Amino acid sequence: MKHAVPVTPSKSTPVAGVDLSELMSRLQYDNEPFVLATVVRTISVTAAKAGAKAVINRDGAIVAGWIGGGCARGAVLRAAKAAFDDGETRLISIQPGDLLAELGVEPGDEREGVQFARNMCPSQGTMDIFIEPVLPRPVLVVYGASPVAVALAQQARTIGFDITVCALPEDLDAFPAGIDKSAGFDSFNPGNAETYVVVSTQGRGDLAALEETFKLPARHIGFVGSRRKLETLKAKLKDKGVAPDDLDRVKGPAGLDLGAITPEEIALSILAELLLLRRKNQRLHDLDSEDAQVVET
């Protein structure tokens, strides 16, 4: 079985001298999201063979590696974009039209976890490619050192969150060792990680903490406290010139209504809410999998 060699280079041409393992380690260290595409099976003539890999960045560019020419590239990049959006792995099978017809599937169909696309190239080979998103761990930023804040810091790591606490310097000792701590409420750069924020200051810097949250690219901002207290704080922030759209980003009281009473229970209800938000795209992907489509290459 001969390898088909591309005539001209393209964006999927391998980058010379790049060690994929080293590159992926660096990207993970820098909290840079990427997708690893791996050819797991080929039939007939294809440019790339089983075991070929490529690293795809958030902009949809193949930055290193090789998974074949234009016949595979379109379907792979579309699948990579979807993987960035929902965080789910997927297997795509790129086949000529007659083989898809024999299987009784159309381009864009999904069956038993395999998404099908049509190979429009003259080679008419088949390639199965595994798409694996490698995304930074989400970051939970907790403002304050209340009992609920401490409980959040202790519990969040058990469900996959990195945790950073921002509190007054004299309050940081309330948190156990091994947790990233920041003295004061000055905002910090969370990098590329998906960021969630919970303000649990309970009277010790409420306004200062809330003002800082608006500087973060947070997917969700929760406030631990009553609705009346939150509305009072929002009114003060509005008088200070905070935009209404920013004020609307704050949800309070934070957490799902689970009847929680103790700080540990309240922290659990907040993490349940964050988990619901975090997994929303994946849950929708599972529910809609029968209707999922991959555009033809």
Side-chain angles (χ1 to χ4, degrees), residues 206-272:
D206 298 336
L207 283 175
L210 280 170
E211 282 188 279
E212 289 300 321
T213 67
F214 303 136
K215 300 176 183 178
L216 296 176
R219 180 176 178 183
H220 176 79
I221 301 173
F223 179 79
V224 179
S226 68
R227 288 184 178 86
R228 178 177 297 180
K229 180 177 181 179
L230 179 57
E231 290 306 314
T232 299
L233 292 170
K234 284 185 176 182
K236 292 180 179 179
L237 291 168
K238 183 178 180 181
D239 291 342
K240 294 182 68 174
V242 177
D245 287 346
D246 278 335
L247 297 176
D248 290 342
R249 294 170 61 197
V250 185
K251 187 262 183 183
L256 301 179
D257 186 4
L258 304 179
I261 296 176
T262 69
E264 291 76 17
E265 291 171 349
I266 295 171
L268 181 61
S269 74
I270 293 170
L271 291 175

Side-chain angles (χ1 to χ4, degrees), residues 280-291:
K280 182 178 181 181
N281 284 343
Q282 284 118 320
R283 291 169 63 246
L284 289 175
H285 174 73
D286 290 340
L287 291 173
D288 297 338
S289 60
E290 293 184 0
D291 299 321

Side-chain angles (χ1 to χ4, degrees), residues 6 54 92 98 148 163 166 208 269 273 280 288:
I92 57 173
D98 57 340
V148 172
I163 176 79
C166 301
S269 74
E273 181 176 47
K280 182 178 181 181
D288 297 338

Side-chain angles (χ1 to χ4, degrees), residues 2-41:
K2 297 181 179 180
H3 293 259
V5 179
V7 177
T8 57
S10 70
K11 288 185 179 180
S12 58
T13 301
V15 179
V18 174
D19 182 292
L20 288 189
S21 297
E22 183 177 312
L23 172 63
M24 290 187 292
S25 295
R26 179 177 61 79
L27 291 173
Q28 286 183 285
Y29 180 81
D30 292 338
N31 271 342
E32 292 285 349
F34 65 93
V35 161
L36 177 64
T38 304
V39 179
V40 295
R41 184 184 72 136

